[in-house]
Amino acid sequence: MNSRCLHILGLSLLGALCGASALHAADAPPSGNQPNILVILTDDLGFSDLGCYGSEIDTPNLDRLAAGGLRFSQFYNTAKCHSSRVSLLSGRWCRQAGDESLRRAVTIPEVLAPAGYFTAMAGKWHLSKQPSDFGFQRYFGHLSGACNYYKGDKSFRLNGQPWQVPESGFYTTVANVDHALSFLGDARAEKKPWFLYLAFNAPHAPLQPLEADYKKYLGRYDVGWDTVRAARVAKQKQLNLFGRDIEPAPRPDHIPPWSALAAETRAWEARRMAAYAAVIDRDD
């Protein structure tokens, strides 16, 4: 990403900023100095699951973007997958925008494209119709709410047309990035500023990491969630993430202490946490 890119971590506010700036950009012809805009959306990710927010998971690239941009200390979503996407793309509450149909909203790419931007998306859509119906000039990904990471599903599309998932050698996260990079090549060939929306399915269930990524984290979570949580809180204090001293909230009543779990259950949960970390690592 070059120096003209917009670096912001905290995607709800990013959507509002992009929408606001794009509305002004559409009123005037392209000036030749528009920033490239990259929006990365992860699915079912906890706020502290990135290194720059206290995580032990290796996310050096996202951490570098945070260090070179803005890192927000407050974030709100709509507690639902599709509705958060509607708000991110339109800057409106989901119901105001017309829910999945977006019939009462204008999306970021629908505003940026007339302003001279090359608009592209890769990843999970989970809304009505297809991204190519809402201002995206390029699209690769699945229209469904979730899919098998290795086998995909029948909703995969490439620029509006059905796309057959290969029988072998396929992994959704990798395919999304490969197509996104190809789209950026198209943007450079057309010598246009670009808006890229990269919507990962990961770490949404099912937890299906690549074998190498999974092996990297095996054993790391054997210490249990109480120890991991304490380490994250300590790192957040070291980073001065909240600008003041903090105390962690009490453990929810329905979550038992790690020490109270049976050995078999601890082994199962440690493997699940390793799989979760692995799919986030691959996002990075």
Side-chain angles (χ1 to χ4, degrees):
M1 206 180 309
N2 63 35
S3 60
R4 292 171 52 243
C5 290
L6 182 62
H7 295 181
I8 300 179
L9 215 60
L11 298 183
S12 181
L13 184 54
L14 175 56
L17 287 173
C18 291
S21 62
L23 289 173
H24 292 292
D27 295 334
S31 62
N33 62 352
Q34 299 99 321
N36 296 321
I37 303 171
L38 170 64
V39 176
I40 301 174
L41 178 65
T42 53
D43 203 325
D44 288 352
L45 182 85
F47 91 94
S48 69
D49 288 332
L50 301 180
C52 56
Y53 284 96
S55 178
E56 72 292 334
I57 301 171
D58 296 329
T59 57
N61 295 305
L62 293 172
D63 295 349
R64 179 167 49 84
L65 289 179
L70 300 178
R71 184 181 52 187
F72 299 123
S73 58
Q74 292 195 55
F75 177 81
Y76 302 90
N77 62 45
T78 63
K80 292 283 287 184
C81 179
H82 76 276
S83 51
S84 296
R85 294 164 193 274
V86 169
S87 296
L88 179 65
L89 287 171
S90 69
R92 309 193 74 188
W93 292 110
C94 184
R95 292 293 177 87
Q96 291 176 323
D99 294 306
E100 295 98 323
S101 72
L102 289 164
R103 66 183 182 277
R104 294 193 296 269
V106 177
T107 66
I108 298 172
E110 286 177 311
V111 175
L112 289 180
Y117 271 79
F118 183 96
T119 59
M121 174 186 172
K124 170 180 168 178
W125 180 237
H126 202 200
L127 301 175
S128 298
K129 300 181 180 179
Q130 300 188 41
S132 53
D133 296 310
F134 293 94
F136 287 102
Q137 299 158 355
R138 300 286 193 280
Y139 172 66
F140 168 82
H142 58 99
L143 307 179
S144 57
C147 72
N148 186 298
Y149 283 61
Y150 308 108
K151 298 181 179 180
D153 59 28
K154 295 182 179 180
S155 75
F156 271 78
R157 298 291 184 271
L158 177 60
N159 299 328
Q161 300 301 315
W163 188 83
Q164 183 64 46
V165 176
E167 293 185 1
S168 62
F170 177 82
Y171 192 70
T172 301
T173 303
V174 174
N176 288 337
V177 174
D178 287 345
H179 281 83
L181 292 174
S182 176
F183 296 155
L184 293 186
D186 294 340
R188 294 187 181 99
E190 295 186 20
K191 298 182 179 180
K192 289 184 175 181
W194 46 262
F195 169 72
L196 174 62
Y197 173 40
L198 185 55
F200 287 120
N201 185 55
H204 192 290
L207 293 179
Q208 296 175 322
L210 290 171
E211 182 178 9
D213 298 336
Y214 180 53
K215 288 181 176 179
K216 175 181 176 179
Y217 288 93
L218 276 178
R220 189 176 297 194
Y221 294 94
D222 291 351
V223 295
W225 50 52
D226 293 319
T227 298
V228 171
R229 183 180 191 232
R232 288 193 181 188
V233 171
K235 185 176 179 181
Q236 288 169 345
K237 290 182 177 181
Q238 180 183 8
L239 293 171
N240 194 29
L241 184 62
F242 302 104
R244 57 185 174 84
D245 193 26
I246 60 170
E247 292 297 328
R251 183 196 302 108
D253 293 338
H254 66 283
I255 303 296
W258 185 258
S259 59
L261 298 176
E264 182 179 356
T265 304
R266 289 199 299 268
W268 164 246
E269 294 291 355
R271 292 195 300 270
R272 287 213 302 166
M273 288 188 280
Y276 179 79
V279 294
I280 295 173
D281 186 302
R282 181 55 54 175
D283 279 350
D284 184 78

